[in-house]
Amino acid sequence: MSTTPPVLAAELAQAWADIQRHHPELPDLAAPESLIGESSSACGAELSFERLLHEAVHGIAAARGVRDTSRAGRYHNRRFLAIAEEMGLDHVEEPHPSSGFSLVALNPEAKRRYRPTIERLQRALKAHTVATASDTKRSFRGPAARHGSSGGGVRVKAVCDCGRNVRVVPSVLAQAPIVCGGCGKPFRIPEAVGAAS
């Protein structure tokens, strides 16, 4: 199995497609590679299937026009929790004062439903971790390593001409266009569009 980021991105896209089979209203994942190396304390720092399902909750909330977070995306409210529960994620504690219901975990039924997907993604993530951990200062990792990763910045809503939207860290969008699968146009951050005109 190759350990290059494009292979991991393909595995993330496949896992997302598996989630879409159970939740058809979930929009397509515009840029799976944007999740690699990104961390977010509000959503869980480690990339995993559980984290991917968490992101899918945000995708369904966006598709439904539901505001599932506040405080610049850090606080996950009860609307987030309701969708998370629909998708097989539980939150067993009281909400966290700053991140709300963000720390959700797969329930037993979801673990059974997604078991093959979880195992496949874990293998890809492990291979990716091994490959990147063995890098040395003499290893070339491409422009993302030279210019810094996207970090765990706050995601903002980017929209396309047909009205679809995705949440993205602005620095990820600045690296290369993210193109809508519906209309073929690039996603843009509305404030940037307004400032440009």
Side-chain angles (χ1 to χ4, degrees):
M1 173 192 311
S2 174
T3 57
T4 59
V7 171
L8 180 54
E11 288 295 340
L12 287 165
Q14 181 59 50
W16 191 268
D18 290 347
I19 298 168
Q20 283 179 312
R21 275 194 276 286
H22 296 281
H23 303 280
E25 69 183 308
L26 178 63
D28 292 339
L29 182 59
E33 61 277 2
S34 69
L35 295 171
I36 301 170
E38 180 183 317
S39 65
S40 168
S41 59
C43 302
E46 299 268 333
L47 183 55
S48 64
F49 182 78
E50 201 166 74
R51 167 87 186 282
L52 192 65
L53 198 56
H54 175 120
E55 297 300 333
V57 172
H58 291 303
I60 287 184
R64 293 178 182 174
V66 171
R67 186 170 179 183
D68 62 340
T69 63
S70 60
R71 300 181 196 162
R74 288 185 307 273
Y75 190 87
H76 293 59
N77 59 34
R78 290 192 183 278
R79 291 180 292 267
F80 170 85
L81 182 58
I83 298 169
E85 289 172 345
E86 285 178 41
M87 298 184 70
L89 293 167
D90 290 332
H91 188 277
V92 294
E93 301 173 9
E94 289 298 309
H96 186 275
S98 63
S99 61
F101 296 99
S102 67
L103 297 177
V104 288
L106 284 166
N107 67 29
E109 181 184 332
K111 285 179 184 176
R112 282 191 299 278
R113 176 188 307 142
Y114 294 113
R115 184 176 177 200
T117 303
I118 292 167
E119 291 172 353
R120 191 177 62 241
L121 185 58
Q122 282 176 334
R123 283 191 301 271
L125 287 165
K126 184 177 180 183
H128 177 72
T129 300
V130 167
T132 56
S134 65
D135 285 348
T136 66
K137 289 183 179 180
R138 295 181 48 87
S139 297
F140 178 72
R141 295 185 57 209
R146 286 196 315 272
H147 302 297
S149 73
S150 66
V154 174
R155 291 187 191 101
V156 298
K157 182 166 74 171
V159 297
C160 69
D161 288 347
C162 70
R164 295 178 76 201
N165 63 66
V166 296
R167 292 174 186 256
V168 64
V169 176
S171 62
V172 170
L173 194 59
Q175 291 173 10
I178 298 174
V179 180
C180 174
C183 70
K185 301 282 175 94
F187 284 95
R188 295 179 307 263
I189 298 171
E191 293 80 12
V193 173
S197 32

